[in-house]
Amino acid sequence: PPSNQPYRTAYHFQPRKNWINDPNGPMLFKGIYHLFYQYNPNGVKLRGPPVWGHSTSKDLVNWMPQPLTMEPEMAANINGSWSGSATILPGNKPAILFTGLDPNYEQVQVLAYPKDLNDPYLKEWFLAPKNPVMFPTPQNQINATSYRDPTTAWMLPDGNWRVLIGKSKRRQRGLSLLYRSRDFVHWVKAKHPLYSYERSGMWECPDFFPVYKNGNTMGIDTSVIGPNIKHVLKVSLDVSKHDVYTIGGYDTKKDAYTPDVGFMNDSSLRYDYGKYYASKTFYDGAKKERILLGWANESSSEEDDAKKGWSGIHTIPRTIWLDKSGNQLIQWPISNIEKLRQKSPVFKLYGKLIKGGSLNEVSGITAAQADVEISFKIKDLENVEKFDASWTNPQLLCSQKGGSVKGGLGPFGLMTFQASKGLEEYTAVFFRIFKAYDNKYVVLMCSDQSRSSLNPTNDKTTYGSFVDVNPVREDLSLRVLIDHSVVESFGAKRKECVTARVYPTLAINEKACNLYVFNNGKSDVEITGLTAWSMKKASIA
Ligand code: DQQ
């Protein structure tokens, strides 16, 4: 790749060059974290048979590249190795199940083991001789082009392993097929899927895991069941490219899952309302946390990707747990990422009034590589705009009422990647508050990319969602991780996440890249606290 790289990330995971997509097989083994990923070693597009890239880490922040693996080895993966997951078998023995493309490009499920369990880096893997271990047959009515992405397996007290495979059937019903096995090698398809939903299309990269009720932030290992536990089923919707999830109950007698919250379609809850796909969790037994990894594709043209020599990054690993309300998941960047915060200079501000119509500089930090935490207090509700009940699409509302559109209470928030006070280029992450007919407040959180780059070939879609907070009783918090071509935002007490990819043309070097707190509403708001850190570069590729 060329040496001039204004868009390369400093602390978001990416390989040294070429195409990367889904995170695969994350696990903690003998004190080492493993991350595999879908990779094309030969170019910046998803072309040819993908293999698995592999990196290892002691903290999920700094990574060491390991040899490529899951290269074509036998008929079961001769045309490529697609996504899959790791399971730690009894005796601390990792195994990986992934989707292989066989000589007919049919999707089959493939089992792999490490060659040497004494090597904590698990550098070399081999495919079990019996592969494929699950495959389409004339009897099982599986469509060999939509049958993929095995989950981490879990075991119930009956001694059987279970695993899910994403699938789609006639009339676009999406489903998660359930297979059982005693020995991890011989798998039998259960009569009923764990769950299915009409007209949702292909379910890619399903993930199924337990979470504690009552706001307990601790993670739980995948096989644990019990009275204090709910289950989460997440799928990646191939049609809309969104990661949606439901929260519900897992009936282990019937091996069936029933959601209480969410639907398996686009109107459901999402992990992230921006550019984010094919995510996967794993249980970190050392920290007792469940960790979520995801892929953020480029928003630049293929020509620009070819010029920079790479395409795709992963988001910052997030700890994930169930909110006390039981109505949604909460996500927060892993605490290790805070080790990258530079001790000085740090920009701090407390108790400052941000006047309606003002722009306030956050100075002295490296604005293209920063971590910003900020909280706002609403001062007066007089100017709040009326909410129109026809506004059912928050993303559309965010694009109609972008960062530069003046309002009553809001928009207020952060302007990142800003070249100058002239506002030629900026990305705005902000809140806007409305009052609904029932006198309840509606809080909208947006990430506005429409002015993020003077280069017209980028995708500059604006993202956003409504957030479940009461702006009168609670401060509105915002954390934004800025990293050269990514703006990853966590809003409203960690309740909403939005990842955006941006490619500023002016705000790229130290001098030109600025950060501001802005308020384009009539009403003043107060900053109750703001801390901004420059971030160190992680050692990655
Ligand atoms: N990417 C993989 C598939 C998966 C898709 C292929 C999701 O296994 O369904 O690279 O992005």
Side-chain angles (χ1 to χ4, degrees):
S3 55
N4 176 28
Q5 290 276 359
Y7 306 127
R8 235 187 125 71
T9 55
Y11 62 96
H12 282 73
F13 182 84
Q14 59 176 150
R16 201 170 64 81
K17 57 178 185 174
N18 291 327
W19 167 272
I20 170 179
N21 55 303
D22 316 356
N24 290 155
M27 71 176 126
L28 174 64
F29 175 70
K30 296 193 173 168
I32 307 281
Y33 294 100
H34 291 258
L35 169 64
F36 302 85
Y37 52 89
Q38 290 285 286
Y39 189 53
N40 174 9
N42 302 312
V44 293
K45 291 198 243 182
L46 181 55
R47 277 267 172 79
V51 301
W52 282 30
H54 180 195
S55 288
T56 52
S57 172
K58 290 197 166 144
D59 55 9
L60 291 169
V61 174
N62 298 288
W63 295 91
M64 208 163 73
Q66 299 294 352
L68 300 179
T69 187
M70 312 303 175
E71 286 164 304
E73 183 176 319
M74 58 198 288
N77 78 330
I78 204 72
N79 282 311
S81 298
W82 284 11
S83 285
S85 309
T87 305
I88 311 276
L89 305 183
N92 204 18
K93 295 181 177 152
I96 281 176
L97 285 168
F98 69 88
T99 301
L101 294 188
D102 79 359
N104 304 318
Y105 286 86
E106 300 215 327
Q107 294 167 15
V108 298
Q109 314 313 324
V110 182
L111 172 63
Y113 294 120
K115 278 194 186 155
D116 177 9
L117 283 170
N118 292 319
D119 168 23
Y121 299 104
L122 302 174
K123 280 183 201 289
E124 291 188 286
W125 292 74
F126 70 99
L127 303 187
K130 205 206 152 280
N131 275 309
V133 292
M134 291 165 250
F135 48 90
T137 65
Q139 291 78 37
N140 66 18
Q141 293 185 349
I142 286 167
N143 173 354
T145 60
S146 28
Y147 171 59
R148 57 183 177 270
D149 306 341
T151 61
T152 293
W154 69 98
M155 189 194 267
L156 291 186
D158 68 3
N160 282 312
W161 288 105
R162 275 112 172 129
V163 74
L164 300 181
I165 317 279
K167 179 191 151 158
S168 168
K169 306 209 272 216
R170 270 193 313 135
R171 271 184 278 214
Q172 288 297 300
R173 175 170 281 275
L175 40 87
S176 46
L177 285 182
L178 179 69
Y179 279 81
R180 298 192 192 93
S181 171
R182 288 200 88 79
D183 59 3
F184 224 79
V185 179
H186 301 86
W187 292 88
V188 177
K189 186 165 90 63
K191 198 156 162 235
H192 299 289
L194 185 85
Y195 187 60
S196 75
Y197 199 82
E198 57 176 13
R199 288 193 292 277
S200 50
M202 176 61 194
W203 290 5
E204 296 189 314
C205 304
D207 194 14
F208 185 59
F209 56 90
V211 286
Y212 279 119
K213 291 179 187 170
N214 307 324
N216 186 339
T217 62
M218 250 175 44
I220 323 174
D221 209 347
T222 314
S223 293
V224 177
I225 51 172
N228 299 321
I229 286 172
K230 302 290 289 183
H231 273 78
V232 173
L233 180 62
K234 164 262 159 183
V235 301
S236 299
L237 292 177
D238 189 24
V239 178
S240 62
K241 294 283 178 241
H242 291 136
D243 279 15
V244 299
Y245 68 90
T246 61
I247 305 158
Y250 174 33
D251 181 337
T252 53
K253 296 253 151 53
K254 292 196 186 127
D255 246 333
Y257 168 77
T258 314
D260 317 322
V261 182
F263 313 90
M264 280 318 182
N265 63 28
D266 234 21
S267 58
S268 189
L269 297 158
R270 296 185 201 161
Y271 278 165
D272 190 299
Y273 289 83
K275 200 156 239 186
Y276 186 87
Y277 197 65
S279 65
K280 181 179 293 310
T281 63
F282 74 102
Y283 177 64
D284 175 349
K287 294 212 149 183
K288 306 229 173 345
E289 291 175 351
R290 185 156 287 270
I291 310 282
L292 173 68
L293 307 167
W295 164 49
N297 196 5
E298 299 304 307
S299 294
S300 47
S301 67
E302 281 183 8
E303 290 73 32
D304 284 356
D305 292 346
K307 269 189 226 151
K308 57 194 207 310
W310 55 270
S311 175
I313 62 167
H314 284 177
T315 51
I316 298 300
R318 304 171 181 173
T319 315
I320 182 168
W321 68 92
L322 183 62
D323 183 44
K324 230 211 234 115
S325 69
N327 289 330
Q328 70 166 112
L329 294 168
I330 304 289
Q331 302 163 59
W332 196 242
I334 51 160
S335 57
N336 277 351
I337 208 75
E338 293 163 25
K339 290 196 298 191
L340 295 177
R341 289 171 169 175
Q342 229 137 38
K343 295 223 168 55
S344 82
V346 176
F347 184 90
K348 282 193 184 191
L349 193 65
Y350 301 98
K352 182 177 160 120
L353 203 66
I354 304 294
K355 289 237 174 277
S358 71
L359 200 57
N360 307 263
E361 191 173 359
V362 176
S363 55
I365 62 151
T366 311
Q369 201 174 304
D371 183 355
V372 185
E373 283 199 86
I374 180 164
S375 60
F376 297 97
K377 195 191 198 82
I378 305 306
K379 294 306 274 185
D380 78 81
L381 290 151
E382 227 169 81
N383 298 311
V384 67
E385 294 163 89
K386 282 239 149 36
F387 186 74
D388 183 328
S390 72
W391 295 341
T392 52
N393 182 338
Q395 182 170 351
L396 188 66
L397 193 57
C398 282
S399 61
Q400 286 163 346
K401 294 177 179 287
S404 61
V405 178
K406 293 198 166 43
L409 185 47
F412 57 84
L414 269 188
M415 284 201 170
T416 68
F417 291 118
Q418 191 167 313
S420 71
K421 279 203 170 180
L423 300 180
E424 294 98 330
E425 256 182 359
Y426 63 84
T427 299
V429 185
F430 60 86
F431 296 106
R432 192 187 275 268
I433 299 161
F434 304 94
K435 195 176 194 170
Y437 65 97
D438 58 359
N439 281 333
K440 284 209 180 107
Y441 292 98
V442 178
V443 180
L444 183 69
M445 179 179 151
C446 308
S447 184
D448 175 1
Q449 283 67 245
S450 61
R451 302 281 292 273
S452 60
S453 175
L454 294 177
N455 175 351
T457 63
N458 296 316
D459 166 12
K460 292 182 230 172
T461 308
T462 286
Y463 309 118
S465 155
F466 298 119
V467 276
D468 179 23
V469 285
N470 180 334
V472 184
R473 263 192 259 134
E474 299 168 58
D475 281 10
L476 283 176
S477 64
L478 188 62
R479 175 160 180 205
V480 185
L481 293 167
I482 305 161
D483 191 3
H484 299 274
S485 62
V486 55
V487 179
E488 208 177 334
S489 305
F490 300 79
K493 292 244 168 71
R494 321 171 171 196
K495 282 183 170 167
E496 189 192 327
C497 312
V498 193
T499 300
R501 302 299 312 278
V502 293
Y503 310 87
T505 60
L506 302 172
I508 41 180
N509 65 47
E510 278 310 288
K511 281 209 186 76
C513 185
N514 297 304
L515 190 62
Y516 294 88
V517 178
F518 78 102
N519 180 2
N520 267 333
K522 270 202 204 107
S523 294
D524 303 344
V525 294
E526 187 188 322
I527 291 186
T528 44
L530 187 165
T531 315
W533 295 265
S534 300
M535 292 292 267
K536 286 177 239 169
K537 196 175 173 341
S539 145
I540 292 182

